[in-house]
Amino acid sequence: MNLKEWIFTTDHKRVGVLYLIGSIAAFGVAGVMAMLMRLELSQLGPTLTANPTQYNIWLYAHGAVMILGFQIPALTGFFANYCIPLMIGAKDVAFPRVNALSVWLFYVGIILAILTFFIPDPPDVMWTGYPPYSILTTGNTALYTFTVLILGFASIIGGVNFLTTVVYMRAPGLTWNKLNIFVWCTLAAFVLQLIFVPVLGTAVTLISFDKYLGTHFFDPARGGDVLTYQNLFWFYSHPAVYVIFLPFFGVVYEIVATFARNRVFNYAMVVYGGIFGIVALSGVVWVHHLYVSGMADWIRIGQMVTTLLISVPVGLMVIGLVGTLYKGAISFETPMMYALGVIFLFLIGGLTGIPLALPSLTLHLSDTYYVVGHFHYVMAVAGTFAIFGGVYYWFPKITGRMYSEFWGKAGFWLTFVGVNIVFWIMMDVGVKGMPRRYYDYAQFPQFEHAHQIMTFGAGIIGIGFAVAVINWIVGAMRGKPAGDNPWGSMSLEWTTVSPPPHGNWPTPPSVSEEWHPYGYGDGRVSSDEAILHTPDVPRVS
Amino acid sequence: MAHGNTHHAASHAAHSHGAHWDTSIWPFVISFGILFALPLAFSFHFVYHQPFVAVMMLGLGVPMILAGIAGWVSEAMGKGEGLSYGAMGWFILAEAMIFVSFFALYWFLRLAEPAWPPAGSVELPRVMPLVMTAVLVASSLTIHYAEHLLHLGDAGGFRKWLLLTIALGLCFLGMSAYEWTHLMHEGFNIGTNVFGTFFFTITGFHGAHVIVGLAIFLAGLPAALGGRASPGFMRTAGLYWHFVDIIWFFVVSQIYYW
């Protein structure tokens, strides 16, 4: 193996694998932070540390790294990079060097996040960085600002790259209605990134301006307004939920269609109703994060309506999945277990979100463990399950080898049981009044037992994820050869060899009229018959 | 792989074993240059108050970034800008959102103030912004004409009008710098009040975009002087320049004349 051809690579598949390695490492770091917090909370009084700021730093690292260092890069970095050019029959992305720049900027972001543990006065501003605390703290808020800016810039240039790639570089015959759902979902996520990341970038820049350059954006004494930060922040960070949700649901669609051996139920409704609907509504629901921050009623009521309304396109996407399962020839390999797990967890997370859309109930539930539990079900855990399922699903394509099915399922069941222990109990104690972000809960001794069970469950989750990652490492080194299309999928990425060479196909593919990525069922054509390898296909200029 | 059909090997096997994979070291160099020049230099100066270390970080990072850009440009120029015009459209969408955020904040805070401009503000110049507008609009026209000449194949004429565009851009930046020093001399600066905060950040961010636009022209300049200018690259650079021009209309109408 030529290390130089990996580090300086511009190939989309190797850039993708670099993203995967970095984001799994980030997942490990952020997971350790979660374990430290759980251990701290496992009994009343100081357990690991007597310093609340230390707990704040763990909380900062857990939140910021899980979202900015793990989920977004794994989904819009690894999966998008590895799969999109293969799914659209392209040799590579439009701008391979820009792609390499975005992955190395991502690593710089990871390095900055890890510096948190080695520098004096690390940032202690949660992943939200709310002023006035972020401006008044002695912690290094600038590091938070630059981490967000660098990761944000990396995702913007990545988004520009992939939008250009899909618009201009699809294989001949691959029309918009033959795009994989994953490609549609990821394109939508990139459009959201392009529109909303700059707003977050502006917001976090301005807290550092206020802190270090003496501006007054968030200083009410000099004409500024603290709440505007929260508005700018959530104007990005709610759509960011969909930046994570859309690609992870796209991954689940690929897995479910393949293992149910069935067409995607109501493809047009999923794409033009579900995905387009989410993009259209995602920018007008952010106020539901600020119901208790002090907000005019007409804004709260209006955004309650839009928040409830966005369940409709999200529901269309869930119905699409369930309809794809209906009358399918389902088999239960490890990726499918994770995909079905996502549907289960996402339904619990989605339904428990409805009370939080209502300002009246939020007055009680805001800033309790209920919110934390809901959020982890709907996004953190569902998204992570989709990522793990997706890595298992494309594992034979990436490595050319097969993982261990037994350890795959063992890891799945451990994590599945663990997350339900932790986050179900979290919602329960939240309804009963356990506030979030407390490093000690001396006022609430009645919850100590629940906290102990949650810490125990967190240990099970940790073991389950570790089993999965070890399974990948062992499988990549010593797994049996998998063949080019072990799952019998119709999708284009399985028509090339495993692992695919530089340039993906010896000759660029074009697709026939009858082919569809989910063309299972009547009058089926095998993918080999459907893909026409024409020697010299004219490309765009 | 930017260029077309060079990889028509006979079999898969020839590709997967021992085949050449494209590489470029410049994205790596630029990324780590950014690490030194931005977060580390800023933290050492503003957070840890060690200006000497900050200067060392800048001394390490800035040459890495410049060398990375120069290496990238010489490696890639003329090999795949066919799609860059469309890509620039998407990038401008993201750039525009920065200014949308700034103006949304500005309108919100300004309309919430009982009186505007708030106490402590000074009178902004009335004539200078008009001259700056004229200069920037003229530069949009000159780059458009330069592209037209390049399209016709007139490399010499293109070179002249490109240089004129760069000169107008520098002239704009000079006037902006003069105005800043003038206002700061009168005691109006970024910390004076919320108006000073907005004035200096918004004009500063716009000025930074002018600098980026000029940097894109400079990246294309060696090829242009050698008569090898890439029409795709210059068209994309011109599109960005027009965007910077359009943003200025918002700055001048909202900050100076409202």
Side-chain angles (χ1 to χ4, degrees), chain B residues 144-181:
Chain B
H144 185 74
Y145 190 62
E147 279 168 46
H148 176 67
L149 291 177
L150 183 62
H151 184 69
L152 295 179
D154 179 0
F158 162 73
R159 208 153 51 218
K160 269 184 234 138
W161 286 90
L162 174 65
L163 286 171
L164 180 59
T165 309
I166 294 175
L168 286 169
L170 289 172
C171 180
F172 175 88
L173 283 179
M175 286 189 283
S176 201
Y178 170 79
E179 194 193 15
W180 271 32
T181 42

Side-chain angles (χ1 to χ4, degrees), chain B residues 94-166:
Chain B
E95 288 272 45
M97 287 307 292
I98 297 175
F99 289 96
V100 168
S101 321
F102 271 119
F103 282 110
L105 256 180
Y106 171 65
W107 290 326
F108 181 75
L109 291 181
R110 174 166 178 165
L111 294 172
E113 283 286 299
W116 195 270
S121 310
V122 297
E123 187 81 8
L124 290 182
R126 310 298 288 180
V127 180
M128 183 78 119
L130 282 182
V131 180
M132 290 165 80
T133 311
V135 167
L136 211 54
V137 171
S139 73
S140 249
L141 296 174
T142 55
I143 193 63
H144 185 74
Y145 190 62
E147 279 168 46
H148 176 67
L149 291 177
L150 183 62
H151 184 69
L152 295 179
D154 179 0
F158 162 73
R159 208 153 51 218
K160 269 184 234 138
W161 286 90
L162 174 65
L163 286 171
L164 180 59
T165 309
I166 294 175

Side-chain angles (χ1 to χ4, degrees), chain A residues 185-237:
Chain A
C185 285
T186 313
L187 279 193
F190 279 130
V191 170
L192 293 177
Q193 289 279 66
L194 288 187
I195 295 174
F196 296 105
V197 167
V199 181
L200 173 73
T202 307
V204 299
T205 302
L206 298 188
I207 51 175
S208 274
F209 272 28
D210 268 15
K211 187 170 164 80
Y212 301 109
L213 304 184
T215 57
H216 305 296
F217 288 104
F218 308 119
D219 175 7
R222 308 292 285 274
D225 186 337
V226 172
L227 262 188
T228 52
Y229 178 85
Q230 297 190 13
N231 278 291
L232 288 177
F233 181 85
W234 287 108
F235 187 66
Y236 162 75
S237 293

Side-chain angles (χ1 to χ4, degrees), chain A residues 16-77:
Chain A
V17 171
L18 290 178
Y19 261 115
L20 179 65
I21 295 168
S23 52
I24 294 297
F27 178 66
V29 172
V32 170
M33 296 302 112
M35 282 311 300
L36 290 173
M37 284 188 289
R38 281 299 352 144
L39 287 171
E40 175 57 46
L41 294 168
S42 61
Q43 53 188 346
L44 283 167
T47 312
L48 294 182
T49 175
N51 177 7
T53 300
Q54 184 62 55
Y55 182 85
N56 266 354
I57 292 163
W58 296 336
L59 192 53
Y60 163 76
H62 174 70
V65 174
M66 276 293 185
I67 291 169
L68 300 172
F70 167 58
Q71 286 204 324
I72 293 180
L75 291 162
T76 63

